[in-house]
Amino acid sequence: MRRITWVLAIIMSVALVLTGCGKKDAASVVKDLNNVSDKLESKQGAYQGSGTMTLYTGEQPQEYKVEVWYKNPSYYRISLSNVQKDVKQIVLRNDEGVFVLTPSLGKSFRFQSDWPDKQGQVYLYQTLLKGIVSDNNRQFVEDGDNYVFEVAANYQSSALVRQKIWLAKKTYEPKQVQVSDSEAKVVVNVSFDSFKFDPEFTADSFDMQKNMAAGSPSENTMAEVDINGNPVVPADGEETGEPVTADQGDFGIIEPDYIPAGVKLKDTNKIEDSKDHAVLIRYDGLYQYTIMEARPLDRAVSLAPGSLIDLGFTVGLLSGDEQQTLTWMSEGVEYRITSANLPVTEMMQIAASMEEQSGK
């Protein structure tokens, strides 16, 4: 009996040692993630990651190469490249504001916003950490070299309900994220192929002009316009902006693939003699709204303050009160959805369905 007791004691001791050294539970991992979050908020906080984001919001999946740079306190650079269309956009935040850049076209939006402080994006590491730490009903399992958390999704679209997040055990680097709808269908998938803490960024890594370097100098403009798109004349009376860019031609009429239930197309009009090839599409029914499409020639557009909306393939600006307008740019075309009663979630779904369409 003494020998059996002694053997059992040794086995239990070894088991306790192994458990203490290797295996972690959800609480201990969350504690570590809080420490990681604190470090990112410190003076030296920075990271750089890249991977592939796939959106399953339309008939065909849309793939984007995504690259994320972050440097404390609030510098961000997110590069989104459409794999199918070979189009690249950059979302940039620095001391001057938030920019959405299309370097190949020399076009840019500038917003005054605290993005992404209050609005999470699935490819941002801080958003993933916040989702894990804040959900007391989180589910936790181990999967090979990764810890996997399933938590509530906290994004702008109400269609995104749950998310699974894979983190490397040794470093807590993100490996994969899957965001699902209410029917457990994956809507967004992000697979990271590289991630690095504490990278070295140059002084101009987050500079707007530096990131617009792919466009020619004459296209690289930042003229101010008001919420209606009208040029703002400075106090000294001098016009802002640079020379007019070349006309890229008629893009046709780009109609959304998605129309809300109870709504029908009312009419479609191409505005005659429009230098920017403007198109107006009107819808009526349960919701009334218009879609304005144009290809601006003479300026990169800078809009009045509003809320940034994550559209997945880019970000847009939501402005207005009683009548709201969602504005975004894709492949050099500026889009505006304006309505007094169309919900923002519907605007987002309409915008996503237009990304897959070509002009008719």
Side-chain angles (χ1 to χ4, degrees), residues 94 96-101 108-113 208 222-224 300-305 308 317:
N94 56 29
E96 298 175 354
V98 179
F99 300 85
V100 179
L101 315 176
S108 55
F109 287 86
R110 184 174 70 177
F111 309 125
Q112 294 301 320
S113 171
M208 192 277 285
M222 271 305 302
E224 298 291 336
V301 182
S302 176
L303 293 174
L308 283 189
L317 177 74

Side-chain angles (χ1 to χ4, degrees), residues 339-353:
S339 176
N341 65 348
L342 182 66
V344 175
T345 53
E346 296 283 6
M347 288 186 176
M348 295 170 64
Q349 195 164 346
I350 292 168
S353 74

Side-chain angles (χ1 to χ4, degrees), residues 289-322:
Y289 60 93
T290 61
I291 300 176
M292 174 70 80
E293 304 168 359
R295 181 170 274 162
L297 296 177
D298 58 346
R299 61 184 178 272
V301 182
S302 176
L303 293 174
S307 301
L308 283 189
I309 301 295
D310 180 21
L311 300 176
F313 57 92
T314 187
V315 297
L317 177 74
L318 183 69
S319 57
D321 296 317
E322 293 184 3

Side-chain angles (χ1 to χ4, degrees), residues 83-148:
V83 175
Q84 290 90 346
K85 299 182 180 180
D86 194 27
V87 175
K88 179 179 181 179
Q89 286 193 322
I90 296 173
V91 183
L92 187 74
R93 178 177 174 178
N94 56 29
D95 293 333
E96 298 175 354
V98 179
F99 300 85
V100 179
L101 315 176
T102 309
S104 61
L105 300 175
K107 301 298 182 182
S108 55
F109 287 86
R110 184 174 70 177
F111 309 125
Q112 294 301 320
S113 171
D114 59 0
W115 177 92
D117 295 347
K118 297 179 181 179
Q119 303 162 359
Q121 268 71 34
V122 66
Y123 41 73
L124 295 182
Y125 186 53
Q126 293 97 320
T127 300
L128 304 181
L129 292 183
K130 184 177 180 181
I132 293 172
V133 172
S134 63
D135 189 348
N136 293 326
N137 295 317
R138 68 183 77 89
Q139 297 179 21
F140 171 81
V141 296
E142 294 187 32
D143 180 15
D145 295 330
N146 301 312
Y147 295 123
V148 184

Side-chain angles (χ1 to χ4, degrees), residues 39-47 70-73 198-199 201:
K39 184 177 180 181
L40 290 178
E41 296 300 321
S42 69
K43 186 176 181 180
Q44 293 76 27
Y47 66 79
Y70 163 78
K71 181 180 179 182
N72 185 274
D198 306 319
F201 293 117

Side-chain angles (χ1 to χ4, degrees), residues 19-181:
T19 300
C21 293
K23 200 171 182 69
K24 289 188 175 183
D25 59 12
S28 59
V29 174
V30 169
K31 182 178 179 181
D32 290 345
L33 294 180
N34 273 311
N35 293 333
V36 173
S37 181
D38 289 342
K39 184 177 180 181
L40 290 178
E41 296 300 321
S42 69
K43 186 176 181 180
Q44 293 76 27
Y47 66 79
Q48 180 176 3
S50 65
T52 301
M53 177 174 66
T54 306
L55 304 180
Y56 299 94
T57 53
E59 293 183 0
Q60 297 295 328
Q62 293 285 311
E63 281 194 358
Y64 297 83
K65 292 293 184 183
V66 59
E67 185 176 20
V68 182
W69 299 358
Y70 163 78
K71 181 180 179 182
N72 185 274
S74 56
Y75 296 156
Y76 291 88
R77 180 189 182 276
I78 294 102
S79 172
L80 292 166
S81 301
N82 188 307
V83 175
Q84 290 90 346
K85 299 182 180 180
D86 194 27
V87 175
K88 179 179 181 179
Q89 286 193 322
I90 296 173
V91 183
L92 187 74
R93 178 177 174 178
N94 56 29
D95 293 333
E96 298 175 354
V98 179
F99 300 85
V100 179
L101 315 176
T102 309
S104 61
L105 300 175
K107 301 298 182 182
S108 55
F109 287 86
R110 184 174 70 177
F111 309 125
Q112 294 301 320
S113 171
D114 59 0
W115 177 92
D117 295 347
K118 297 179 181 179
Q119 303 162 359
Q121 268 71 34
V122 66
Y123 41 73
L124 295 182
Y125 186 53
Q126 293 97 320
T127 300
L128 304 181
L129 292 183
K130 184 177 180 181
I132 293 172
V133 172
S134 63
D135 189 348
N136 293 326
N137 295 317
R138 68 183 77 89
Q139 297 179 21
F140 171 81
V141 296
E142 294 187 32
D143 180 15
D145 295 330
N146 301 312
Y147 295 123
V148 184
F149 285 92
E150 184 173 348
V151 296
N154 185 23
Y155 300 105
Q156 289 173 318
S157 174
S158 58
L160 305 178
V161 178
R162 300 287 293 176
Q163 59 182 340
K164 291 180 69 174
I165 303 168
W166 284 257
L167 303 176
K169 286 182 178 179
K170 293 183 179 180
T171 60
Y172 296 127
E173 298 172 7
K175 307 301 289 186
Q176 185 178 2
V177 187
Q178 289 184 344
V179 189
S180 304
D181 60 17

